[in-house]
Amino acid sequence: MCPAVSPPYLNEGGVIDESLPIPLSPVMLDPAFNEGSVTTAPLPPLPPPPTQLPPPLNTYPRSNLLRERALRHPPRIPRLRRLNPQSANTAGDRPDYFVDLNRYNRYIQRSHNCVPGEKAVDLEDVCGIPISTRRTNGSGYMELDFEVLVDDGGQYSSSYGVENVLRNDSTVYCSGRSGAVNILLRYNGYAHSGIVSDRSCVVSHIVIKSPQYGFTAPCKDGLVFMSRHPIDVERSRIFDQFTREDFEQYMSHKSRFSSPEDDDTDPLAWFTLSKEKQMVIPIHDRSAKYILVKLLRSEFEADNIDLQYLGFVGYSGARYFSRGRLC
């Protein structure tokens, strides 16, 4: 690079002499500089745009293994069932596709409570006593047979009738209204044994079970009444709003001021179904012909009450003793 000043501009010793004229720079002496036009070399042409964009960050090509799995295990799509054309013609404006709620509820019931053919409750296991499968008269524990006389709770549908509570299987009773529900039962062992005198029994255990899954209103609290005579359901409605504390207070008062007239209208036991939805009530060999089970409330706030099973264990016929002695 040429210096901006010429060497004659400097004196000996490197001192600038200000009296001498300042020489012009070689760049300023260039004719192109004085003419005001500067020749520059042409710029190279721009490169053409890329034909393919680079792959975005954080993306990786799918492996063959994932593609093989996708082909080997395609997602399952649920299929809808089409109605029979003959039934569709009789159904009027019924849609071509529908969901049968009764069949769905029965499926949930079988899946979560017990399988078909299996008992809802193993009476020998929960009661802790041997139970005979043969009908005996006064000797040996057995499952007692009862029939429904009165039911004031209605039913949700024909598939959930009150008779289901006497079946030791997966069927469930669903009432058709809210509030306390009364189920009055009568012993009918004579209908199975054929013995005319088999019209009373001795109850040792009562088993109560609510459905565990698939139902919105499993029974939680209730009362049990027992008598050798018909029980007046209307007179028992004074206990419809009872709680466990009310029952304990009432029974404490009854033990101090009991009378023979109260046996047919007073409750015998209180039950609360816990997380297992099942309870065994020991009755200690009480003779009876009629049993009233009052369902007070469900576990959740609901418009009905659901109950799966009522089981009774004891002796068939009147209880007798092999020998006695007068004192």
Side-chain angles (χ1 to χ4, degrees), residues 31-48:
F33 179 81
N34 295 329
E35 293 177 2
S37 62
V38 180
T39 60
T40 58
L43 297 176
L46 296 176

Side-chain angles (χ1 to χ4, degrees), residues 302-320:
D303 296 334
N304 70 321
I305 299 180
D306 304 329
L307 188 68
Q308 183 172 359
Y309 178 61
L310 287 173
F312 306 94
V313 176
Y315 302 95
S316 174
R319 184 70 181 272
Y320 68 91

Side-chain angles (χ1 to χ4, degrees), residues 145-201:
D145 297 316
F146 281 80
E147 62 181 351
V148 178
L149 285 184
V150 176
D151 165 41
D152 59 2
Q155 60 185 21
Y156 179 77
S157 68
S158 59
S159 301
Y160 305 102
V162 67
E163 65 278 358
N164 291 342
V165 299
L166 299 178
R167 300 171 180 170
N168 193 359
D169 56 16
S170 62
T171 56
V172 176
Y173 164 60
C174 301
S175 67
R177 63 170 180 82
S178 60
V181 175
N182 297 282
I183 304 176
L184 179 60
L185 307 170
R186 181 178 63 185
Y187 177 71
N188 68 337
Y190 61 90
H192 297 83
S193 63
I195 303 174
V196 179
S197 60
D198 189 8
R199 296 182 179 270
S200 62
C201 63

Side-chain angles (χ1 to χ4, degrees), residues 223 238-253 267 270 296-297:
L223 292 168
I238 61 176
F239 303 102
D240 284 359
Q241 303 300 324
F242 258 40
T243 62
R244 188 180 187 89
E245 291 75 15
D246 297 334
F247 172 76
E248 293 176 351
Q249 183 178 0
Y250 180 84
M251 297 303 290
S252 176
H253 178 80
W270 173 277
L296 294 178
R297 60 189 59 89

Side-chain angles (χ1 to χ4, degrees), residues 270-312:
W270 173 277
F271 65 88
T272 296
L273 302 179
S274 59
K275 184 179 180 180
E276 291 76 17
K277 306 293 190 300
Q278 180 175 297
M279 183 176 181
V280 179
I281 305 175
I283 304 300
H284 306 297
D285 296 352
R286 184 184 179 101
S287 178
K289 184 178 180 180
Y290 298 91
I291 296 179
L292 172 63
V293 179
K294 184 182 289 289
L295 311 180
L296 294 178
R297 60 189 59 89
S298 61
E299 185 175 357
F300 310 103
E301 293 293 334
D303 296 334
N304 70 321
I305 299 180
D306 304 329
L307 188 68
Q308 183 172 359
Y309 178 61
L310 287 173
F312 306 94

Side-chain angles (χ1 to χ4, degrees), residues 119 121-134 141-143 168 205 207 278 280 309 313:
K119 291 186 177 181
V121 178
D122 187 347
L123 295 178
E124 285 192 349
D125 183 49
V126 298
C127 296
I129 57 176
I131 298 177
S132 175
T133 56
R134 297 177 56 187
Y141 291 101
M142 60 177 299
E143 183 178 0
N168 193 359
H205 299 81
V207 181
Q278 180 175 297
V280 179
Y309 178 61
V313 176

